[in-house]
Amino acid sequence: MTATGTDWRSWQKSWDRQQEWYMPDREERFRVMLDMVEAVVGPEPRVLDLACGTGSITDRLLERFPGAVSTGVDLDPALLAIARGTFEGDDRVTFVTADLKDASWTGKLPYPSYDAVLTATALHWLHTGPLAALYGQIGGLVRDGGVFMNADHMIDTDTPRINAAERAHRHAAMDRARAEGAVDWAEWWALAAKDPVLAAPTAERFAIYGEHADGDMPSVHWHARTLREAGFGEARAVWASPSDSMVLAVK
């Protein structure tokens, strides 16, 4: 509990539960992500948590690697409020408010380069043009030998029957969880809007983003190719679920 009377850790956990309703394998992707961080750059990395939200990646990073340092960057004022509240007083963590579609956002970062840039379930808010431009900037932020990882919805349009079957199966499971009391995205935000501390930043975030993402979800192959074009020497998928994938690129 902080001076505001807000239990930030509780909000952090509730965000995790809400996200797990959509992605029951969410922790697995985080585990593999950190496995690969350790494998490529070691257990004390300087990390950029890109489109960090509440700091879910940073939370797991510091639990596993106490010697790590993290910079979280996002534009969402409500999720950043939770992140800042959760990590208040931890000098390993810095949060930056920045719009990733603004070409000058990297100038707000506290470090010129990073061992690892990590992101999950966030960049599908961008269309492929801005995403390719962002990958070019990330290519300049990752040190030689460093890594970038993106775990997100990546759709292969060459497999429509597989895609349809997977989606139907996943949504049936979500419906069962919903009937058992799981809170979805809209309900979570409705709760945030009623919180005395989060009400104003929640209203601000909807003014910025609107209700839903309108970006693209290109295939793994698009991500890997675009990252190589952005200056990474190697890029491929290192994890996949039936609906999502994680691409790892090494500078």
Side-chain angles (χ1 to χ4, degrees):
M1 196 79 70
T2 66
T4 64
T6 301
D7 186 346
W8 294 116
R9 179 56 65 177
S10 178
W11 276 109
Q12 180 80 242
K13 290 179 178 178
S14 73
W15 175 261
D16 284 342
R17 300 294 85 75
Q18 177 257 124
Q19 289 287 285
E20 287 165 0
W21 182 64
Y22 297 94
M23 298 167 288
D25 48 29
R26 186 167 178 258
E27 291 302 324
E28 174 71 6
R29 72 188 68 192
F30 288 147
R31 182 190 65 78
V32 174
M33 179 179 281
L34 296 181
D35 281 351
M36 297 311 298
V37 167
E38 185 175 23
V40 182
V41 300
E44 296 187 354
R46 178 192 292 170
V47 171
L48 177 61
D49 186 350
L50 191 71
C52 65
T54 65
S56 295
I57 290 174
T58 293
D59 197 25
R60 288 148 183 82
L61 172 77
L62 297 180
E63 181 178 357
R64 179 161 168 177
F65 305 128
V69 173
S70 180
T71 303
V73 59
D74 208 302
L75 186 61
D76 189 311
L79 298 185
L80 279 174
I82 296 170
R84 288 187 169 109
T86 299
F87 296 97
E88 184 177 3
D90 191 332
D91 59 9
R92 297 171 296 176
V93 186
T94 304
F95 289 104
V96 174
T97 300
D99 185 349
L100 298 181
K101 292 185 286 186
D102 180 343
S104 66
W105 72 272
T106 58
K108 297 184 177 183
L109 299 177
Y111 302 105
S113 67
Y114 288 85
D115 300 311
V117 177
L118 310 176
T119 188
T121 329
L123 299 189
H124 63 274
W125 282 79
L126 298 178
H127 290 290
T128 51
L131 181 54
L134 177 64
Y135 277 177
Q137 291 181 296
I138 293 169
L141 285 172
V142 175
R143 68 162 172 83
D144 287 346
V147 299
F148 168 71
M149 274 180 274
N150 179 15
D152 208 344
H153 314 311
M154 300 181 187
I155 297 176
D156 187 339
T157 56
D158 292 333
T159 58
R161 288 185 295 169
I162 295 172
N163 298 350
E166 181 281 321
R167 187 180 188 279
H169 185 268
R170 174 165 44 89
H171 278 261
M174 290 168 66
D175 288 344
R176 291 191 296 271
R178 187 78 176 79
E180 295 171 1
V183 173
D184 67 12
W185 189 88
E187 284 184 316
W188 190 91
W189 281 110
L191 291 170
K194 295 176 182 177
D195 183 89
V197 176
L198 287 176
T202 295
E204 185 182 352
R205 77 84 59 200
F206 279 98
I208 293 170
Y209 290 108
E211 291 290 334
H212 297 289
D214 65 349
D216 300 320
M217 291 178 276
S219 70
V220 167
H221 305 292
W222 182 94
H223 286 275
R225 181 183 73 250
T226 305
L227 286 163
R228 287 192 292 268
E229 292 169 354
F232 288 89
E234 300 177 11
R236 70 167 176 86
V238 291
W239 175 89
S241 73
S243 60
D244 294 359
S245 295
M246 181 160 64
V247 170
L248 164 62
V250 178
K251 185 77 177 290

